[in-house]
Amino acid sequence: MASFIQLLVSGLATGAIYALIAVGFTLLWQTSQTINFAQGEFVMLPAFFILAAMNLGAPFWLAALIGIAVSIFILGLIFKIVIVDPMLRHGVLPLVISTIALSLFLKEVAKDFYSSQAQPFPALVPSTDIHVFGAVVSTQSLAVLAVAIAAVVALHLLLNKTRLGRCMQATAQNPTLARILGIPVRRMVLYTFLINGALVAIASILISPIYLAKFTNGETLGMAAFLAAIIGGFNQVRGAILGGIILGILDNLSAAYISSQYRGAFPLLILVGVILLRPQGLLGRIEERTV
Amino acid sequence: MLRLGFIVSVIAAGLGLSGPSYAQSTVYIPAVLELSGAGAVPGTNFRDGMLLAIDEINAKGGILGRKIDTPILDTQSDAGTSRAQIQKVLDNKPYVILGPVFSGSVLVDMMLTQQAEIPEIVGGEAAAITQKGDPYVFRTSFGQQFSMPKIANYVRDGIKAKSVAVLWVNNDFGKGGRDNFVKEMNTRNIKVVADVATESGQTDFSADVVKIKAANADAIFVYTNEEESARFLKEAKKQGIKAPLIGETTLLGQKVIDLAGGAANGVRGHVGLTVDAPIPAVQEFAAKFKKRFNYVCDHNGIKGYTAVYFIKYVTEKMGKFDSKGFAETAHGLTITPKQEPQILMEATWDKNGDIDRESFLGEVVDGKQKIVQTLPKLGN
């Protein structure tokens, strides 16, 4: 039982981070049909912004705020203006290829300007352990879980309880109609990119103490979050959250109780099952398009 | 007259008579290394150690009067890319090739270099590398068939363990190490009670530690790459693992210690190469490296540095640049620090290209690797 709790809490913490990143995938897809294959690198990069700010003498809390601000600016605004806007008018595929190229570029930039070596990254809370029913749960895991849940809840409230959020949802569901209703569609799309910039920065702060800051981090993170978004439903924020949590828990339980050697295969098996039985994802909705 | 000279030059170039530009004044020794991807840390260390040696040698006039020309190609830590890069450098007729470091890459490159009869000085440690009868492959550090008996003796005599758990990374390096370690355990009647494979780049080790903890072994042998080792140590500390954690070189490396923080304290094991070795020449090298590259080099930096001096010594012994002759001369060769001070420690290459030299038993104390015993060469 103690082992199970141990695996569950740890899986939940990892899954919550996958969920944060996956939410970014779904937000961008819904509002601008952007599949961002550099999303993993977007999570890797803010850790280096923060470390650079700390090297300049900023304390961690200030460096984290600077990191979030820089991420919103570069990974939100600049990404949209320089890559998404010019490429999107040529269709989804050129944009996908552009984001793949961007992911390679960001990886190499992080390596060349910082280091190829993994860097230790400060944790949000001091690393102490709490004993729960025989399991040892670190305060770090609990903090990761708490911050990830808080970020998702805040996003949920923004999207569902504010006028701005409803405008963004309307833009996602039907941009033409939203425009007729007087919603500034371009601005709403921009907001989703800025929100994605903030989400990846938060995910980076949460995951880097565990993953360590390294230029290759985006590879695993991006893939895991992409799978999570598909499993949960690419067009639903709550689907992405569910997908992330399923993936995090499944990874731990399958490694412990089935086979650690084949742990990488289980998420893919789930993915195949979802595509066969429920192609829109567990919580996704079927999209119909006029052709 | 000038015009005639020009025409002759053009014709000569067209016929391929002029040869590569580095043919006379330089010697072409390309390096194919892991500069990006999962192997970037060992690859970069190897490269920097190598560059330090090359600059030192070139500053003193090169090898037999020819400066070393070393373009560096990136394998991206991918065996297929590595093979393509090796093919590329082979087209330019190298004297010797340096790298790669990843065993998986070495294993696919070897066929090409053997076919071309070009020696390859590699950083890979998988036992299989020198068990294929390839006379052109030479190691710069212990193969697993050399290091695992040493660590196995330590587990039996030092730790006095009757049972062990093994955690290894599921790639050529990890699988080779795991197979050799388990074989050595079996010959010493030590029971392997848990055998846990992990993924390269894995981040969450909670499931693996749960499995190992449940096995209740007398000792735990950890054989993964740097960052994974650090993450495992943190998780092991969190879950309160009490059994001794034993490793081979990587686990006790300064990078792992820095990344794992306090969780690395108490880790013990065998260290093939280390800048903390109680040898003045090694420490002098470590200081030079730190001064130039501004970080503490790991064992791969020593591999890169000594690889270049190995080439220099063998070539000067032959008195000529002859790739085939290099391989013949290097087999069975012993280089002492008296003969070549920058070889750092006496080293012998056997008929398979395996290296033998002194090694160490170490322990991590207060965030530093401490060498507690020097082990003699196996051939002694």
Side-chain angles (χ1 to χ4, degrees):
Chain A
M1 185 62 187
S3 304
F4 184 75
I5 294 171
Q6 184 91 53
L7 295 168
L8 198 64
V9 174
S10 180
L12 270 174
T14 311
I17 295 165
Y18 290 161
L20 270 185
I21 309 165
V23 164
F25 265 119
T26 61
L27 278 179
L28 297 190
W29 171 250
Q30 283 185 73
T31 56
S32 64
Q33 269 68 58
T34 301
I35 302 176
N36 179 19
F37 277 105
Q39 185 80 345
E41 278 65 36
F42 276 29
V43 180
M44 169 273 293
L45 212 52
F48 289 100
F49 295 152
I50 293 166
L51 287 177
M54 288 175 74
N55 283 346
L56 293 172
F60 177 58
W61 66 268
L62 180 61
L65 290 178
I66 293 170
I68 293 172
V70 174
S71 298
I72 291 172
F73 179 69
I74 294 178
L75 306 177
L77 183 66
I78 301 294
F79 171 55
K80 181 177 183 298
I81 293 171
V82 175
I83 296 194
V84 178
D85 288 347
M87 296 308 294
L88 196 55
R89 65 180 74 114
H90 300 290
V92 173
L93 194 59
L95 182 57
V96 165
I97 292 167
S98 301
T99 60
I100 292 171
L102 179 66
S103 73
L104 296 171
F105 175 75
L106 292 178
K107 215 159 47 178
E108 293 308 309
V109 165
K111 188 187 78 181
D112 288 342
F113 280 89
Y114 215 91
S115 164
S116 61
Q117 309 229 3
Q119 308 291 321
F121 191 87
L124 274 181
V125 292
S127 182
T128 47
D129 300 329
I130 299 169
H131 292 259
V132 185
F133 300 114
V136 188
V137 181
S138 73
T139 46
Q140 219 171 325
S141 294
L142 293 176
V144 166
L145 201 53
V147 174
I149 290 171
V152 168
V153 168
L155 182 67
H156 180 77
L157 291 176
L158 173 77
L159 291 177
N160 294 296
K161 303 288 179 189
T162 65
R163 187 173 181 280
L164 176 70
R166 281 193 288 271
C167 288
M168 287 168 74
Q169 288 206 57
T171 304
Q173 284 163 18
N174 192 330
T176 311
L177 195 58
R179 200 172 283 116
I180 292 168
L181 290 170
I183 293 171
V185 170
R186 286 169 66 91
R187 202 192 313 159
M188 293 302 127
V189 172
L190 172 65
Y191 287 161
T192 58
F193 278 81
L194 301 185
I195 290 171
N196 185 48
L199 285 176
V200 291
I202 293 169
S204 190
I205 291 168
L206 295 177
I207 209 153
S208 297
I210 306 160
Y211 273 57
L212 309 165
K214 195 181 175 192
F215 73 101
T216 51
N217 279 355
E219 293 164 7
T220 25
L221 286 171
M223 182 53 76
F226 186 64
L227 293 181
I230 296 175
I231 290 169
F234 219 84
N235 52 19
Q236 286 290 330
V237 167
R238 60 175 190 272
I241 295 167
L242 179 69
I245 288 170
I246 288 176
L247 226 59
I249 294 174
L250 177 81
D251 183 48
N252 265 356
L253 295 182
S254 60
Y257 298 123
I258 306 174
S259 163
S260 55
Q261 257 170 299
Y262 293 98
R263 70 191 299 171
F266 295 112
L268 296 172
L269 287 176
I270 299 279
L271 177 76
V272 170
V274 167
I275 288 173
L276 288 175
L277 302 172
R278 199 176 158 79
Q280 70 271 34
L282 296 175
L283 297 180
R285 60 169 191 272
I286 296 170
E287 283 186 5
E288 290 176 3
R289 292 185 185 198
T290 310
V291 289
Chain B
M1 188 64 196
L2 273 174
R3 199 170 160 192
L4 181 66
F6 174 73
I7 291 167
V8 169
S9 305
V10 169
I11 293 169
L15 293 172
L17 299 178
S18 60
S21 59
Y22 40 75
Q24 294 308 313
S25 60
T26 61
V27 53
Y28 179 54
I29 304 177
V32 176
L33 293 168
E34 290 75 5
L35 301 180
S36 60
V41 173
T44 309
N45 269 273
F46 192 100
R47 177 198 63 189
D48 292 344
M50 182 189 85
L51 289 176
L52 192 61
I54 290 170
D55 289 350
E56 283 175 5
I57 293 168
N58 282 347
K60 288 178 187 166
I63 302 174
L64 299 178
R66 284 163 69 172
K67 299 257 171 93
I68 303 170
D69 172 34
T70 299
I72 304 169
L73 289 84
D74 183 10
T75 69
Q76 298 169 16
S77 305
D78 171 68
T81 310
S82 169
R83 190 179 161 93
Q85 300 287 41
I86 289 282
Q87 185 58 64
K88 205 165 159 183
V89 298
L90 283 174
D91 291 344
N92 288 329
K93 301 195 179 357
Y95 170 50
V96 178
I97 296 173
L98 288 156
V101 176
F102 266 17
S103 298
S105 294
V106 175
L107 286 164
V108 299
D109 296 344
M110 283 168 54
M111 282 173 280
L112 294 176
T113 51
Q114 185 179 4
Q115 213 168 23
E117 299 182 330
I118 301 295
E120 192 179 3
I121 320 294
V122 303
E125 295 179 6
I129 291 171
T130 46
Q131 290 172 344
K132 293 181 182 296
D134 180 347
Y136 291 94
V137 71
F138 295 90
R139 288 190 201 271
T140 48
S141 60
F142 287 129
Q144 289 155 342
Q145 69 276 38
F146 280 69
S147 56
M148 291 306 162
K150 291 190 176 191
I151 193 84
N153 287 340
Y154 178 61
V155 170
R156 182 190 59 196
D157 307 328
I159 307 287
K160 301 195 186 310
K162 301 279 177 227
S163 63
V164 288
V166 188
L167 179 118
W168 49 283
V169 57
N170 198 358
N171 57 22
D172 288 302
F173 161 76
K175 182 83 170 58
R178 177 255 172 216
D179 291 348
N180 277 278
F181 181 77
V182 169
K183 191 179 88 186
E184 296 298 334
M185 289 295 101
N186 290 338
T187 59
R188 288 163 182 78
N189 291 322
I190 299 172
K191 202 172 171 195
V192 178
V193 290
D195 188 5
V196 180
T198 65
E199 291 303 316
S200 179
Q202 187 174 318
T203 50
D204 188 348
F205 282 86
S206 50
D208 311 284
V209 174
V210 162
K211 278 172 103 168
I212 282 181
K213 202 174 169 185
N216 204 21
D218 293 339
I220 299 158
F221 179 64
V222 183
Y223 201 66
T224 56
N225 299 119
E226 280 88 352
E227 286 129 40
E228 292 84 349
S229 295
R231 292 181 193 123
F232 170 79
L233 291 177
K234 283 183 173 182
E235 186 64 33
K237 189 186 175 211
K238 189 177 102 184
Q239 293 196 32
I241 292 256
K242 298 279 181 256
L245 297 166
I246 313 297
E248 209 291 311
T249 305
T250 304
L251 192 70
L252 289 89
Q254 195 57 44
K255 189 70 195 168
V256 173
I257 298 170
D258 291 343
L259 295 174
N265 285 334
V267 163
R268 295 178 246 175
H270 174 251
V271 185
L273 280 173
T274 171
V275 291
D276 294 316
I279 297 171
V282 174
Q283 287 167 5
E284 200 180 299
F285 156 76
K288 276 190 293 192
F289 189 100
K290 174 93 183 354
K291 193 176 169 198
R292 173 155 172 192
F293 299 108
N294 200 27
Y295 70 94
V296 178
C297 102
D298 69 8
H299 58 289
N300 291 293
I302 306 177
K303 289 187 205 174
Y305 186 77
T306 51
V308 180
Y309 277 100
F310 169 50
I311 295 170
K312 176 179 178 280
Y313 182 83
V314 174
T315 309
E316 288 176 347
K317 188 177 166 68
M318 288 191 299
K320 59 181 178 177
F321 293 95
D322 172 9
S323 299
K324 214 172 165 180
F326 182 101
E328 285 160 10
T329 309
H331 285 128
L333 179 74
T334 295
I335 308 177
T336 66
K338 202 173 168 188
Q339 292 164 320
E340 173 51 73
Q342 303 312 321
I343 206 74
L344 305 180
M345 297 159 67
E346 182 178 306
T348 300
W349 282 265
D350 70 9
K351 60 181 173 47
N352 299 318
D354 270 311
I355 192 169
D356 186 14
R357 60 182 153 209
E358 282 182 344
S359 60
F360 312 93
L361 288 179
E363 189 175 344
V364 179
V365 181
D366 295 330
K368 286 272 167 213
Q369 185 190 87
K370 190 179 160 197
I371 298 300
V372 292
Q373 193 183 337
T374 301
L375 303 176
K377 284 170 75 178
L378 284 172
N380 282 358

